[in-house]
Amino acid sequence: QVQLVESGGDLVQAGGSLRLACVVSGSIFSISTMAWYRQAPGKQRELVAGISRDGYTNYADSVKGRFTISRDNAKNTVYLQMNSLKPEDTAVYYCKLNRRPGLTDYWGQGTQVTVSS
């Protein structure tokens, strides 16, 4: 069974940095597109960044230039480096592994990021 475990969430001041990590159990990591989502209180879950198995990346406009997604296939881990954090980045951050169409994607349990002003 595939499991995703996020870590790295914390309380940080505005302008600070955090690095989130998501470790994936199972052998499908290296062939899978991975993504980070976030959900703030009272808001819908939104895509933050994605990375293909070949390393192509995409970002939400709100985080471009501040966040960087990367992956280490040898460690079955995807990272989200977050710099210049803003209070509006406060949310629970989730890691997702995309599966083939028709199958349910895998999600982690989430990690809390809180940015104080």
Side-chain angles (χ1 to χ4, degrees):
Q1 184 175 353
V2 176
Q3 290 187 323
L4 284 67
V5 180
E6 301 102 331
S7 63
D10 206 344
L11 170 64
V12 64
Q13 287 190 333
S17 298
L18 284 174
R19 188 175 82 154
L20 307 183
C22 173
V23 179
V24 180
S25 64
S27 60
I28 64 173
F29 175 82
S30 63
I31 63 172
S32 301
T33 293
M34 301 296 301
W36 285 97
Y37 282 73
R38 67 185 180 187
Q39 187 166 18
K43 294 188 176 181
Q44 288 189 330
R45 193 171 297 189
E46 62 176 359
L47 175 67
V48 176
I51 184 166
S52 72
R53 63 181 182 178
D54 299 319
Y56 291 100
T57 59
N58 64 285
Y59 297 93
D61 287 343
S62 59
V63 306
K64 281 181 181 176
R66 300 189 298 122
F67 290 10
T68 302
I69 189 171
S70 62
R71 66 190 297 159
D72 185 336
N73 289 343
K75 296 182 178 180
N76 276 18
T77 302
V78 60
Y79 301 98
L80 185 68
Q81 178 66 44
M82 305 186 294
N83 298 329
S84 303
L85 282 161
K86 305 175 181 180
E88 51 263 44
D89 294 318
T90 295
V92 178
Y93 283 71
Y94 298 91
C95 176
K96 187 180 81 164
L97 184 151
N98 291 345
R99 302 179 72 193
R100 296 194 307 273
L103 299 179
T104 302
D105 297 326
Y106 293 115
W107 290 88
Q109 83 289 348
T111 187
Q112 177 70 48
V113 172
T114 303
V115 184
S116 63
S117 57

